[in-house]
Amino acid sequence: SGIEDLKNLKKIGGWAIFRFSKIKSLKNLEYVGESFYSGDSAIKTLSKLEYVGGDLFLENSGIEDLGNLKFVGGQLYLNERQKKLFADKIFLKNGRYCFRNQEDYVYNNDYLEKE
């Protein structure tokens, strides 16, 4: 896509795929209903993004900051640098990286065992 700016977009109901996009900033984006993929993009921070309903694919990206992220409903895909950088916000369970979701969000993660 030739889109270079998300302008005032706050919500994407489905997948958000920014692979090879010209977008450098997520600006006001707060919500992605499905999975988020930022591989091979110029995006460095998740900025105001708070919610990702599915998986979060960052491993092929230059993301260095999770911004306001509070909830990820699926698995995290990270490179080794990001695993160290975000160590306080992630955990490994059953061989999968997951986000430490804040308690004020409904914790719904199909990848984790129900306790």
Side-chain angles (χ1 to χ4, degrees):
S1 169
I3 296 173
E4 295 182 16
D5 192 325
L6 295 179
K7 306 244 183 241
N8 293 322
L9 184 68
K10 289 187 176 186
K11 181 178 180 180
I12 296 174
W15 278 70
I17 302 174
F18 294 99
R19 186 170 191 204
F20 302 123
S21 77
K22 297 178 182 179
I23 293 170
K24 295 180 183 173
S25 170
L26 298 178
K27 290 198 173 184
N28 295 314
L29 186 65
E30 297 174 355
Y31 178 97
V32 174
E34 303 273 336
S35 295
F36 179 97
Y37 185 87
S38 66
D40 304 306
S41 73
I43 300 167
K44 298 288 185 203
T45 178
L46 297 183
S47 303
K48 296 181 181 180
L49 185 65
E50 294 183 1
Y51 181 97
V52 175
D55 295 332
L56 182 60
F57 298 88
L58 302 179
E59 76 272 23
N60 294 325
S61 75
I63 298 283
E64 300 171 347
D65 177 34
L66 296 177
N68 290 338
L69 192 63
K70 295 179 181 167
F71 181 88
V72 177
Q75 186 173 342
L76 295 174
Y77 295 87
L78 307 167
N79 60 43
E80 291 304 314
R81 183 182 58 80
Q82 291 165 333
K83 288 174 188 174
K84 292 176 186 171
L85 191 60
F86 309 140
D88 62 329
K89 296 180 172 117
I90 64 172
F91 66 100
L92 186 63
K93 184 157 186 177
N94 299 328
R96 296 184 168 130
Y97 284 94
C98 300
F99 186 73
R100 294 186 185 277
N101 296 319
Q102 292 187 356
E103 292 179 0
D104 59 339
Y105 280 84
V106 176
Y107 195 76
N108 181 12
N109 189 331
D110 294 336
Y111 291 103
L112 301 178
E113 296 174 15
K114 302 289 182 206
E115 300 183 298

